[in-house]
Amino acid sequence: MIPFSLLDLSPVPAGRSVREALVNTKDLAQHAEQLGYKRYWMAEHHNMRGIASAATAVLIGHVAGATSTMRVGSGGIMLPNHAPLVIAEQFGTLAELYPDRIDLGLGRAPGTDMQTARALRRSLDNADNFPEDVLELVAYLDDPADGAKILAVPGVGTRVPVWILGSSTYGAQMAAHYGLPYAFASHFAPTELANASKIYRRSFRPSRYLEKPHFMLAANVFAANTDEEGAYLRTSMQQAFINLRTGRPGPLPAPVSDLEALVGPAAIEMVEDALRISAVGAPETVKAKLQELMATYEPDELIFTGQIHDHQSRKRSFEIAAGVMEQINGERQAAE
């Protein structure tokens, strides 16, 4: 059985407000829990008018309080933006409020532009300290060492599960070395997906946190009743990605019928390559693509994302994805 989870950036659709985006996140999380999603993760991004999940720990608490069984966490917290002690206290607090339901995924990138990164941490040197910061953070969440003078309160002894997130082989090597679960950002940076998954599994060293490797693959899903409708819904995220890459980030655009006429063939080629780990279309089309991804990369878990302008269509897309995964898992179980 392959677990499936959901990654939400709390998209702010054009013509809608940040408040509406946050209300939609709560509604989607409750919907996902009913559909059998294992985790609901949110990502830290800053200075982006189309993403409302900047205060990630706050939003995790909001979602965890609105659900009851699903794990809730970060996908991820961009650790160079923060002191490890502060994150330990935040996620320690969440773990005390919602025991055995909180995940802490950590990324090495700032999750924003360089000017905003300076505003967050006043320095751009912290990425080089990522391995040391991760170990410091894990130690704060563990039982205290003898003679420890600094304790995360809350945090100490909660052992919040820590994941390494990445879009290159760097994170794979690090997660393997420390024996931590690893999630790859293949939904927008798939180039090193195959290499990273192989390196992680080959180099994994069992630890007190994890006995064997656990690899999560991220995929975009734009599911609808027909292939044409799924492709139409996808154009919102395609436009948003092109706008970001060309220095024009903004709210999530409404879908369009002819994307190439709007952005040109060069932009289409770029975005198709970057977002190629996507399942788009009717349920059977989505099922075939997910089966292909699972056969190729053999993930231990899938996490779906998909920025769709209309909230009800977004809920329906993740509902279809959950139904497809139930079919796939049922077929796999019957074949064993």
Side-chain angles (χ1 to χ4, degrees):
M1 302 289 284
I2 303 295
F4 53 96
S5 298
L6 196 156
L7 172 64
D8 178 19
L9 275 62
S10 294
V12 184
R16 300 289 186 266
S17 67
V18 167
R19 177 176 176 80
E20 288 176 284
L22 297 175
V23 169
N24 288 344
T25 279
K26 175 182 173 181
D27 183 52
L28 180 60
Q30 292 173 328
H31 189 56
E33 183 170 69
Q34 294 172 354
L35 293 170
Y37 281 85
K38 182 174 183 177
R39 311 176 201 277
Y40 195 95
W41 281 6
M42 284 153 281
E44 176 187 351
H45 292 277
H46 299 279
N47 195 28
M48 295 186 183
R49 291 185 294 127
I51 296 175
S53 56
T56 315
V58 177
L59 196 52
I60 288 170
H62 180 61
V63 168
T67 53
S68 58
T69 58
M70 184 172 56
R71 299 192 67 87
V72 186
S74 62
I77 290 291
M78 302 297 105
L79 195 53
N81 297 337
H82 311 280
L85 178 59
V86 172
I87 298 303
E89 292 169 341
Q90 290 176 359
F91 279 76
T93 301
L94 290 167
E96 295 288 4
L97 291 170
Y98 309 104
D100 199 31
R101 291 186 57 211
I102 302 300
D103 294 329
L104 175 52
L106 300 173
R108 182 172 175 252
T112 188
D113 59 90
M114 292 300 99
Q115 185 175 357
T116 307
R118 290 189 184 94
L120 286 164
R121 191 76 182 265
R122 309 298 181 188
S123 170
L124 297 182
D125 298 330
N126 299 295
D128 292 337
N129 301 328
F130 184 62
E132 293 83 358
D133 285 352
V134 170
L135 291 180
E136 181 183 345
L137 175 50
V138 170
Y140 286 136
L141 297 170
D142 210 335
D143 294 331
D146 293 340
K149 297 184 181 301
I150 301 175
L151 300 178
V153 182
V156 62
T158 56
R159 298 187 186 88
V160 176
V162 170
W163 290 65
I164 300 299
L165 280 57
S167 58
S168 70
T169 57
Y170 178 93
Q173 292 169 328
M174 183 176 163
H177 181 76
Y178 292 129
L180 297 172
Y182 179 55
F184 191 85
S186 38
H187 60 300
F188 71 90
T191 303
E192 293 292 339
L193 171 58
N195 286 337
S197 63
K198 291 175 183 176
I199 288 171
Y200 174 65
R201 292 191 177 100
R202 184 176 65 236
S203 306
F204 183 83
R205 305 195 318 186
S207 70
R208 59 182 296 189
Y209 313 108
L210 201 61
E211 293 182 358
K212 60 182 181 179
H214 189 94
F215 176 69
M216 178 190 280
L217 182 150
N220 300 292
V221 172
F222 301 92
N225 292 332
T226 66
D227 288 352
E228 293 75 17
E229 184 182 356
Y232 175 72
L233 295 176
R234 187 190 187 206
T235 61
S236 290
M237 186 168 179
Q238 290 172 308
Q239 291 176 79
F241 195 86
I242 292 167
N243 291 343
L244 179 63
R245 285 289 179 91
T246 55
R248 299 177 292 111
L252 182 67
V256 294
S257 298
D258 190 348
L259 182 63
E260 185 168 343
L262 180 67
V263 301
I268 292 289
E269 183 178 356
M270 178 273 291
V271 76
E272 287 289 353
D273 181 62
L275 304 183
R276 64 181 181 270
I277 305 299
S278 297
V280 184
E284 285 304 313
T285 307
V286 169
K287 180 181 178 182
K289 182 61 177 181
L290 294 181
Q291 287 177 316
E292 175 192 326
L293 292 172
M294 293 163 70
T296 301
Y297 301 107
E298 299 181 324
D300 301 294
E301 186 169 344
L302 292 170
I303 187 164
F304 301 136
T305 191
Q307 298 190 53
I308 295 174
H309 188 269
D310 176 69
H311 180 58
Q312 296 305 319
S313 297
R314 189 163 175 250
K315 288 176 65 177
R316 176 60 179 154
S317 178
F318 288 122
E319 182 178 330
I320 291 172
V324 164
M325 286 303 299
E326 289 178 0
Q327 289 180 26
I328 292 172
N329 281 328
E331 292 168 5
R332 289 166 65 98
Q333 193 172 32
E336 291 177 355

